[in-house]
Amino acid sequence: MPKPSLTLNEQLALCRQVARLVHSKLPLEGELARLARSESSLGTSAAQRVDQQLSAGQSLSDALAAGTSRRSRSLAACIEVGERSERLDRTLDAWTDMHLASSRYGQTLRTAMVYPCLLIAVTLCSLG
């Protein structure tokens, strides 16, 4: 049975925690599950699942970025680059910041498009 992939929010929260652990030079195995119990922002089941996968010998990119979506492939590539350059914490922070900024900009764009769409609708109604 294939393992369910993590949602974007779960990946973002886990990446933040992994970046903190790497920056503090703490081991990932065991610490993710402990952090999941102590923090409400981190999904407990997702963190425990990733922690179990790491304990079973899976790589971090396989545990965090399971799936074939573009987002998962991007995260897996960032993890591999971060591990090779020994800057995993910075790489994960950058990936997380990019996704948070992208969602903020998308929301801003949707909000900004309300007024022009409303003007078009009023214009079409007045012409009709």
Side-chain angles (χ1 to χ4, degrees), residues 2-7 10-11 49 64-69 71-72:
K3 295 178 233 60
S5 60
L6 300 171
T7 65
E10 291 172 335
Q11 283 180 330
R49 189 172 58 218
L64 276 180
T68 58
S69 68
R71 181 191 68 215
S72 294

Side-chain angles (χ1 to χ4, degrees), residues 7-73:
T7 65
L8 177 60
N9 289 336
E10 291 172 335
Q11 283 180 330
L12 292 172
L14 286 168
C15 284
R16 286 282 187 205
Q17 291 303 324
V18 168
R20 287 181 190 148
L21 290 172
V22 169
H23 184 72
S24 301
K25 297 188 182 350
L26 293 172
L28 297 180
E29 294 177 23
E31 290 294 320
L32 280 176
R34 187 186 63 76
L35 284 172
R37 288 188 295 271
S38 65
E39 291 193 22
S40 61
S41 65
L42 195 58
T44 306
S45 64
Q48 289 175 344
R49 189 172 58 218
V50 169
D51 189 49
Q52 289 172 352
Q53 290 171 350
L54 290 175
S55 297
Q58 277 191 337
S59 68
L60 182 61
S61 62
D62 289 341
L64 276 180
T68 58
S69 68
R70 181 175 45 184
R71 181 191 68 215
S72 294
R73 290 192 316 263

Side-chain angles (χ1 to χ4, degrees), residues 57-121:
Q58 277 191 337
S59 68
L60 182 61
S61 62
D62 289 341
L64 276 180
T68 58
S69 68
R70 181 175 45 184
R71 181 191 68 215
S72 294
R73 290 192 316 263
S74 167
L75 177 57
C78 286
I79 290 171
E80 289 176 20
V81 167
E83 288 174 341
R84 288 184 183 168
S85 66
E86 297 181 3
R87 296 172 190 241
L88 182 60
D89 53 342
R90 292 181 191 171
T91 307
L92 289 176
D93 281 337
W95 184 85
T96 304
D97 291 342
M98 178 191 69
H99 278 282
L100 292 175
S102 175
S103 66
R104 272 194 315 270
Y105 295 143
Q107 182 63 33
T108 302
L109 178 64
R110 284 187 291 277
T111 303
M113 290 305 295
V114 169
Y115 183 69
C117 290
L118 186 61
L119 283 179
I120 291 171

